[in-house]
Amino acid sequence: MSIYRISDLNVEITTNSATVAEAIKPYEVQYQERPNLSLFLTDDRLLELMEENEGRTADVIETVYIATLYSWALFDFNGFPIHATAVEQDGKAILFAAPFEDNLDFMSLLPQDKVFTYDYPGVRMQDDLYYAFDTPFGMKGKYAKRGKKLPLEAIVFVDSGRFDSLRVLEAKDFVPMFMRAVALNVRHERTKHTLFILERVMHRVKFYGVRDLNDVDFIFERVTE
């Protein structure tokens, strides 16, 4: 069993999946520390999931399962996963998130030289500040920078049906949008804990809403001023 450094956590991962093994390999560390969490999928559970997800390969099922376990665990370490693309600007992270049903392809809308993780960055609070981390999880993990960690400056929600020009969001706007962005990773019994995390985030991170990403440079300038 190997130890991987993900979101500043020592994560023990046991896998039989070539897909998972390839994705997490760059995060492997040589030292042996007591893991903060252990992620694995038993053979019996794999068979159950394959029956429930007919047509999916074992690699895909284990990839999703391990990523889900990580996402659930992150809430126990002053953090959360979020369905977003993380961009580096002036040494800080800006997260771009959109409703799932919009199917926005952020990779075609954002400068790829600035993207450091796509789909599911991890976010954790350390020393009273929030940081964004790249992770090996998500559909396009190849954009990860293998251990990148940046202070989280802002979260920008892109929604053509809700916003017009770029604006700072009030609590009544960003609370439901934040919950939608993390909803797939929240167990029902942890909803209150998630709201507790959100209360802390809203006092330390800026939230914006915008209609589209036609003027990305303007957005970068505004959210980092």
Side-chain angles (χ1 to χ4, degrees):
M1 291 180 287
S2 300
I3 300 295
Y4 303 86
R5 191 68 174 170
I6 304 173
S7 300
D8 274 358
L9 296 171
N10 295 320
V11 185
E12 181 183 63
I13 302 178
T14 305
T15 178
N16 294 314
S17 163
T19 303
V20 175
E22 180 181 1
I24 63 179
K25 182 65 176 177
Y27 295 81
E28 185 176 4
V29 295
Q30 300 306 313
Y31 59 80
Q32 290 297 314
E33 292 283 347
R34 183 174 180 178
N36 299 110
L37 61 145
S38 298
L39 310 178
F40 60 90
L41 174 60
T42 65
D43 292 340
D44 289 343
R45 182 58 178 148
L46 175 60
L47 291 175
E48 291 176 2
L49 291 172
M50 291 189 71
E51 290 179 1
E52 296 172 6
N53 298 271
E54 188 175 351
R56 281 194 168 189
T57 65
D59 266 19
V60 170
I61 288 174
E62 187 168 14
T63 297
V64 173
Y65 187 81
I66 293 296
T68 300
L69 291 182
Y70 159 82
S71 297
W72 286 350
L74 201 53
F75 287 99
D76 296 326
F77 293 92
N78 295 318
F80 57 88
I82 183 169
H83 183 61
T85 295
V87 171
E88 180 177 0
Q89 177 70 13
D90 297 334
K92 296 182 180 180
I94 302 171
L95 304 185
F96 290 88
F100 286 97
E101 59 271 17
D102 275 12
N103 294 318
L104 282 179
D105 181 10
F106 281 126
M107 292 313 301
S108 65
L109 300 171
L110 294 168
Q112 293 192 23
D113 61 326
K114 292 180 178 289
V115 173
F116 73 88
T117 191
Y118 179 88
D119 206 27
Y120 272 105
V123 178
R124 289 187 61 207
M125 186 172 73
Q126 298 175 321
D127 300 323
D128 209 37
L129 294 174
Y130 276 97
Y131 293 87
F133 299 82
D134 71 88
T135 77
F137 307 115
M139 294 184 295
K140 304 208 177 171
K142 66 180 181 179
Y143 292 103
K145 301 300 183 184
R146 315 307 184 196
K148 192 103 174 181
K149 170 186 178 182
L150 294 173
L152 179 56
E153 177 75 6
I155 300 177
V156 180
F157 295 103
V158 185
D159 189 338
S160 60
R162 183 182 292 262
F163 306 116
D164 190 2
S165 58
L166 181 71
R167 64 182 177 88
V168 178
L169 296 186
E170 299 177 1
K172 64 182 179 62
D173 293 313
F174 76 73
V175 168
M177 299 204 75
F178 177 88
M179 292 303 293
R180 286 167 66 186
V182 303
L184 290 185
N185 298 291
V186 179
R187 291 171 289 179
H188 178 69
E189 65 271 19
R190 302 307 303 277
T191 301
K192 288 184 178 180
H193 182 63
T194 307
L195 291 173
F196 172 71
I197 290 176
L198 173 57
E199 184 179 11
R200 291 187 297 182
V201 173
M202 61 187 286
H203 294 298
R204 294 171 175 83
V205 177
K206 295 181 287 187
F207 290 80
Y208 294 85
V210 70
R211 177 185 179 84
D212 53 48
L213 297 179
N214 289 336
D215 194 346
V216 175
D217 289 336
F218 172 74
I219 295 173
F220 289 157
E221 182 179 339
R222 275 288 310 278
V223 303
T224 58
E225 61 184 12

